Amino acid sequence: MRIVTFNILNGRTPHDDVVDPSVLADAVRSLDPDVLALQEVDRNQRRSGLADLTAVAADAMGASHQQFVAALAGSPGATWSAATGHEQPRDAAYGISLLSRLPVSGWESIRLPTLRSRVPMRFSESVRPVLVRDEPRVAIAARVATPYGELTVANTHLSFISWWNRHQLRHLLRALAPAPRPLVLCGDLNMDLARAGRITGMSPLVAEATFPADAPTEQLDHVLAEPALAARGQARRMELSDHRALVVDLDLQPGLGADTARGAALGPGAGLRRLGLSRRRPAPRRTPAG
């Protein structure tokens, strides 16, 4: 089973900032996912030719199950507002998507805590702190049926403000606590692998830098599992986005989910030890990546 997470930068190609839905479709076909988690997804936005990028990806991979969850409603630079969950299919919106070629028995969308005011952040190119405002953040989870049993797959895109994304991630983990295991958490977490593993206690399934796409120096995009799952993965550069796509092939076995209790008993950091990673505090981000 192949899971892919990809921050698509609303479908833009970085060299010219043009959105061509066919480029996204070609990328999705080449990635060949069974389950695809997308972040920074446009729907009915002028900057992306009024395309429904979730539908474009679904057609390209042959996904019979798909959900788009809006984080923002309206148009960038004009009428952005926090999405409420009551947006209509023809409304302009921006958010995340989760798509599956495998059967899905249930969906859950989760709205994450939002900062209500600007906060100071330091960047390498500025002497003084800069006041920044974050956007609303959301998550979506699906119960996916595989030939060996069900697993839960969740997708999110967390804040670039480090102390706040920790709070959002813990909120998300509490919301996902009742979800059937195994649980696979995907997305752009805007934090490095050691920190993601430390906060979640989940096992990282691949360790490869994903940002910036042309010469990546940090891993912001992750696929984590609870309990640990046998997998192999890689980061792949595509023709669009400033992130690389993270591709993970799971080696599923009969009795999927039977060892949930054993996996949970491994405790926080077990996945980090398996990959030989440290628990050092990460260096501050240089600039917000979205």
Side-chain angles (χ1 to χ4, degrees), residues 201 203 225 227-229 259-271 273-274 279:
S203 296
L229 297 170
D259 61 347
T260 299
R262 180 177 62 83
L266 292 174
R273 292 192 293 273
R274 182 172 61 83
R279 288 172 171 250

Side-chain angles (χ1 to χ4, degrees), residues 37-38 66-69 96-99 107-110 138-142 152-156 172 176 184-186:
L38 298 178
Q66 56 173 289
Q67 287 285 334
F68 167 82
V69 178
I96 64 173
S97 300
L98 191 58
L99 308 93
W107 297 92
E108 181 181 7
S109 60
I110 302 156
V138 295
I140 184 170
T152 302
V153 181
N155 174 31
T156 193
L172 177 57
L176 293 173
V184 178
L185 175 60
C186 310

Side-chain angles (χ1 to χ4, degrees), residues 187-220:
D188 178 353
L189 304 187
N190 268 313
M191 62 181 70
D192 68 18
L193 188 59
R195 188 164 178 261
R198 182 171 63 247
I199 293 171
T200 63
M202 300 174 73
S203 296
L205 299 186
V206 58
E208 279 202 35
T210 59
F211 181 86
D214 55 347
T217 57
E218 17 181 14
Q219 182 172 356
L220 304 182

Side-chain angles (χ1 to χ4, degrees), residues 11 31 52 61 72-73 85 90 102 123 139 152 172 183 193 212 238 251 258 275-277 286:
L31 291 167
D52 181 342
M61 65 182 279
L72 291 164
R90 292 187 178 275
L102 300 172
F123 304 111
T152 302
L172 177 57
L183 168 66
L193 188 59
M238 311 308 295
D251 182 16
L275 287 175
L277 299 173
R286 296 183 299 279

